[in-house]
Amino acid sequence: MKYIDEFRDGAVAQGIAANIAAAVEPQRRYSFMEFCGGHTHAISRYGLSDLLPPNVRMVHGPGCPVCVLPIGRVDLAINLALSRDVILCTYGDTLRVPASNGLSLMKAKARGGDIRMVYSTLDALQVARDNPQREVVFFAIGFETTTPPTALAIQQAQQEQLANFSVLCCHVLTPAAITQILESPEVRQWGTVPIDGFIGPAHVSTVIGSQPYEFFAEEYRKPVVIAGFEPLDVMQAILMLVRQVNEGRAEVENEFARAVTREGNLKAQDRVAEVFELRREFEWRGLGIVPYSALQIRERYAAFDAERRFDLVYASVSDNKACECGAILRGVKRPQDCKIFGTVCTPENPIGSCMVSSEGACAAHYSYGRYKDMN
Amino acid sequence: MCLALPVKVVEVGPGDAAVVDLGGVRKQISLALLDGVQVGDYVILHVGYALSRLDPEEAQKTLALFSELDQSRLAA
């Protein structure tokens, strides 16, 4: 398929790998964080880490919306479905995220909750139109890619006066998470997580543009290379980061210029700004409470805010003690460092959120890399 | 979650609706987040919405970049 196949060519990948091998300085160690789960998945699926010289290490970042969704938020959604008799519409990714009392949305559905998987907010709106006598709540999660479709759905619901439709908003922001990583003691004080640069998000950047990352290059002196999600994109981005480090540069470069501009999608940004405003604080799994890192629905659309409509109160819930998702999301540990990885915690029976989505660091390593370290 | 695919637009309208083709599979999507899309354009499709248009020239430049030899390999 066009724009996919040519970015997966194995021979070309070997060529870029040779370029990387030639570019790295042998005495230097390079440590780059790929922020996005999409990149984590590509690195595992295509075995990219095996194409890199031993002194180039990739650190997985927190850019997997399912992984950073805290238990308390899933609990809110489950309670709506089980105790408030709503139809809960959700993207498929959230269905298996472990929540309190051994439940997940999938298990809540088995208990009789009316939970429906949708592909798009357009489908959630249709469910609301088809069931005027029922309350329909869309469980809105995700970074800046899924936020504009949620904004449109809320505006559409207002236009159609769909009074039975509302949104449980859990949308989070990429730049806030990158700041939190850079300000963490592991990176800033102790240096236990060295980060020499970032691979910046592909599709998030189509919406927000490359401009928001300029702050990280200027203030934190960290190079950022925005890259597509195909394997050759990731390899090229690593080469560009190596060159920046070698030359002492810290700039924002755009490897994904075929889809990302500096300004991003202004129409999408306008819709988001009309419907949402910053939340004072939001809890992330792994990163804790991060100020101004998420969005909430503006007062003028309050009628479509499920938190207001159902008087929902968020309660923080600790993760399973044995689960290392928190440390893995901060880049402090790797999936294979977790005691329950691949034994108690598997994609069929995930204990932590990183094992749920295919973009989660644990699920990616389980699917594509778990036998690698055995011999 | 943020996974999205490049798809070819084969019909535009009425309104914000469009039909795209992905390896022979046709699907109706929304162009509400993107202006000026024409039949034949490739767009990045995410949860039912086109998020951005693919620039064929930039794609070609990136592919050319992949095949360039690193300066240090040329010197060697």
Side-chain angles (χ1 to χ4, degrees), chain A residues 19 203 243 258 267 359, chain B residues 1 35 55 68 70 73:
Chain A
N19 281 344
H203 299 136
R243 285 178 182 157
R258 63 187 184 276
K267 194 174 181 186
E359 305 161 335
Chain B
M1 185 85 216
D35 289 327
D55 182 332
E68 268 177 21
D70 191 81
R73 274 172 79 195

Side-chain angles (χ1 to χ4, degrees), chain A residues 299-310:
Chain A
E299 186 68 41
R300 84 177 83 114
Y301 293 99
F304 301 96
D305 185 347
E307 285 179 73
R308 289 180 171 107
R309 184 178 296 192
F310 298 97

Side-chain angles (χ1 to χ4, degrees), chain A residues 28-101:
Chain A
R28 219 194 259 268
R29 295 187 69 78
Y30 302 83
S31 181
F32 303 123
M33 176 175 276
E34 87 276 6
F35 179 82
C36 274
H39 289 127
T40 303
H41 183 83
I43 289 167
S44 296
R45 177 172 172 191
Y46 299 100
L48 300 187
S49 44
D50 295 341
L51 291 174
L52 300 176
N55 56 337
V56 178
R57 188 187 155 214
M58 301 307 295
V59 180
H60 307 317
C64 158
V66 174
C67 305
V68 296
L69 189 66
I71 291 176
R73 285 265 147 196
V74 188
D75 285 351
L76 290 181
I78 289 175
N79 286 339
L80 281 175
L82 289 184
S83 310
R84 311 294 283 271
D85 197 34
V86 311
I87 301 177
L88 189 90
C89 296
T90 175
Y91 292 129
D93 310 51
T94 60
L95 284 174
R96 292 185 306 118
V97 178
S100 297
N101 308 316

Side-chain angles (χ1 to χ4, degrees), chain A residues 134-190:
Chain A
R134 300 276 307 276
E135 285 284 337
V136 175
V137 178
F138 176 64
F139 187 27
I141 77 152
F143 284 92
E144 290 88 340
T145 50
T146 48
T147 310
T150 306
L152 284 178
I154 290 173
Q155 289 184 319
Q156 184 70 27
Q158 190 184 52
Q159 213 177 341
E160 291 181 33
Q161 298 183 327
L162 266 179
N164 62 327
F165 178 80
S166 61
V167 168
L168 175 52
C169 177
C170 306
H171 286 301
V172 286
L173 302 169
T174 300
I178 295 181
T179 305
Q180 187 76 357
I181 296 272
L182 287 170
E183 290 288 339
S184 74
E186 290 93 350
V187 174
R188 212 175 163 91
Q189 283 171 276
W190 308 331

